[in-house]
Amino acid sequence: MTGVAGHFGEWLQGRLGADGPVVLVTLHCPALRVTPGPGPALFPGDAVTRFCAALGTDTAHWPDLACDMPPGGGAGASTAWLVAGARAVAPQATAEEIARACLAVEGACDPLMFPDPDRLLWASREGRIADRLPAPPRCEVVGGFWGAPTRTDPADHAFPEVGDLVTDWKQAVTAGDLARAARVATASAARCDALRGPGDPMAGLARDLKALGVVRAHTGSARGLIFAPGTVPANAEAALREAGLTQVLRFTTGQRP
């Protein structure tokens, strides 16, 4: 096992219609990973036992796992931790089988068990693919964590409606239009800010650093700025730290070679 990449918030997240499922497009983050090595368990032993049972196996070969991302940060720590364990104890399990097992333990999960999770419109409380999409345009993200961690409550469906943003997103990624994709992400973040909070300094940072847009964890503390490749200002990381973000990082995401 070489590790499982996390994500860094979502390009968009919300209800697909007033009574529809909570859906999201995850923002793939290769810079944050769960890898073999010593680290704290993110689930109690009985949950790991139930997870393995859902995969038709047991905990005999469950590995030690190290996690780069903070739990509750909105970077997929819990799902990535389970997926990494699943690949060790049930290497023949399909992505769909791992998703069902994650859902049984977490109640909501990210699509990190799939090879291209950012090409999916994902129903996170149902553990299923709502639609398949083109990859997001390639871009650079500079981000960090703002405020207290917030773990996902699977019973929480208090998200804004995003049916219009899903339509805009499909058009943006089909055209490979990064500027439009960034506008969708910014709009989704703004709706989440208005409904769920908390306030953060990202709009001002985006303006000062001339970012294309803002991305956030719709549950969790991850916050980031979206840039076209090669356009990140030299002072971007320092500006985020000065504004109070922690664990500041920079990575490339979107279309992969």
Side-chain angles (χ1 to χ4, degrees):
M1 185 186 74
T2 59
V4 175
H7 65 102
F8 200 77
E10 296 82 28
W11 286 100
L12 63 92
Q13 184 173 358
R15 299 292 295 269
L16 196 59
D19 299 315
V22 176
V23 296
L24 60 85
V25 178
T26 198
L27 195 154
H28 174 74
C29 180
L32 297 174
R33 306 184 69 83
V34 172
T35 54
L42 299 191
F43 288 88
D46 63 331
V48 176
T49 298
R50 287 188 287 112
F51 179 70
C52 290
L55 292 170
T57 186
D58 56 39
T59 62
H61 300 290
W62 189 268
D64 290 331
L65 295 168
C67 184
D68 287 342
M69 47 285 221
S78 57
T79 298
W81 195 85
L82 289 174
V83 173
R87 290 180 177 168
V89 301
Q92 303 307 313
T94 66
E96 289 80 6
E97 289 168 340
I98 295 173
R100 287 194 291 271
C102 288
L103 194 69
V105 172
E106 297 189 82
C109 63
D110 300 300
L112 305 180
M113 62 291 298
F114 290 88
D116 292 301
D118 54 358
R119 294 188 179 204
L120 306 175
L121 183 67
W122 179 249
S124 58
R125 272 69 174 162
E126 300 174 10
R128 66 175 179 86
I129 298 170
D131 200 359
R132 294 184 182 273
L133 308 165
R138 194 165 181 82
C139 64
E140 290 186 74
V141 174
V142 179
F145 296 90
W146 170 264
T150 305
R151 289 181 176 271
T152 298
D153 175 1
D156 178 9
H157 289 74
F159 289 86
E161 291 187 45
V162 292
D164 59 325
L165 296 184
V166 170
T167 298
D168 287 349
W169 178 258
K170 290 179 181 179
Q171 294 173 352
V173 296
T174 298
D177 187 338
L178 176 59
R180 186 173 181 181
R183 289 195 295 271
V184 173
T186 303
S188 186
R191 291 183 190 183
C192 188
D193 289 346
L195 182 64
R196 301 170 66 88
D200 61 48
M202 301 312 294
L205 286 166
R207 181 185 61 250
D208 294 345
L209 296 169
K210 296 181 171 54
L212 292 175
V214 173
V215 65
R216 66 163 285 173
H218 291 66
T219 302
S221 53
R223 301 288 191 275
L225 301 176
I226 304 162
F227 295 91
T231 68
V232 178
N235 66 329
E237 289 94 329
L240 267 64
R241 292 189 187 97
E242 185 176 350
L245 280 80
T246 61
Q247 299 182 45
V248 172
L249 72 161
R250 174 176 168 177
F251 60 94
T252 300
T253 190
Q255 292 176 340
R256 294 179 279 286

